[in-house]
Amino acid sequence: LNDMVKGFEAGGAKDKFHPEAYWDYGQWSIGYGTKSHKGETITKAGATKRLNEELAVAAKAVNKYNKTYKWKPHELDALTSFAYNVGSIVQLTAKGTRSREQIAAKMLEYKRATVKGKRVTLKGLENRRKAERDLFLNGYPKPPAVAKR
């Protein structure tokens, strides 16, 4: 989950890390996409620590629905990534009333951001939602088989 989110939250940085705060569609972000303020700087270690703290908050919010859904680990990770990026899964799950299939379909709708006052579809958000949906539905990729000699 950590590596997946780091990849999506790179903010365009070459090595997938931003040591200085950058404007990110309505808020200041830093490091691996964590909340920030203008002028802030951070180390990779500090950014990883902050990311883990914010992912823990998102996971806690997803776990509020565990009694209803009994999330599998891959579903929890996919929804934690989603909640970290969007803010919650309350609307996505319709307060716990949607089926898993409905949740998976709805995930793909969260692909827009406000740019210069207009709501636009962002390719990066489309790609992220597809990856989260794939993880949610199909689980973790299987490692390649090792050929026997």
Side-chain angles (χ1 to χ4, degrees):
L1 171 64
N2 190 292
D3 288 340
M4 179 175 133
V5 172
K6 281 182 177 181
F8 286 124
E9 293 290 349
K14 283 188 257 179
D15 66 352
K16 301 187 185 261
F17 168 72
H18 255 285
E20 297 175 354
Y22 61 97
W23 188 248
D24 187 23
Y25 303 105
Q27 73 175 29
W28 287 98
S29 296
I30 198 165
Y32 302 110
T34 56
K35 293 176 181 82
S36 182
H37 61 274
K38 185 177 182 177
E40 183 180 11
T41 61
I42 198 166
T43 64
K44 283 188 177 186
T48 296
K49 182 179 184 283
R50 190 182 296 181
L51 174 63
N52 289 336
E53 291 167 353
E54 290 190 21
L55 286 174
V57 170
K60 186 175 180 181
V62 173
N63 271 320
K64 287 182 182 179
Y65 293 95
N66 200 36
K67 287 182 183 177
T68 302
Y69 292 102
K70 310 263 187 288
W71 302 122
K72 295 174 186 168
H74 65 274
E75 293 170 330
L76 177 63
D77 281 352
L79 292 170
T80 297
S81 173
F82 182 95
Y84 171 76
N85 183 244
V86 173
S88 81
I89 63 165
V90 174
Q91 288 182 316
L92 179 67
T93 65
K95 297 182 182 178
T97 62
R98 288 195 173 118
S99 69
R100 278 176 162 78
E101 294 78 20
Q102 290 171 318
I103 291 169
K106 281 283 183 192
M107 287 175 113
L108 299 177
E109 295 178 15
Y110 290 77
K111 60 186 177 186
R112 291 176 180 71
T114 303
V115 178
K116 296 180 182 177
K118 293 177 125 184
R119 294 290 289 168
V120 297
T121 297
L122 298 179
K123 189 67 177 165
L125 285 179
E126 279 185 314
N127 292 340
R128 182 183 188 136
R129 296 290 101 86
K130 287 176 185 176
E132 290 165 344
R133 181 178 179 269
D134 184 57
L135 177 58
F136 183 79
L137 289 173
N138 303 313
Y140 304 102
K142 307 278 187 273
V146 177
K148 292 183 181 181
R149 291 184 177 211

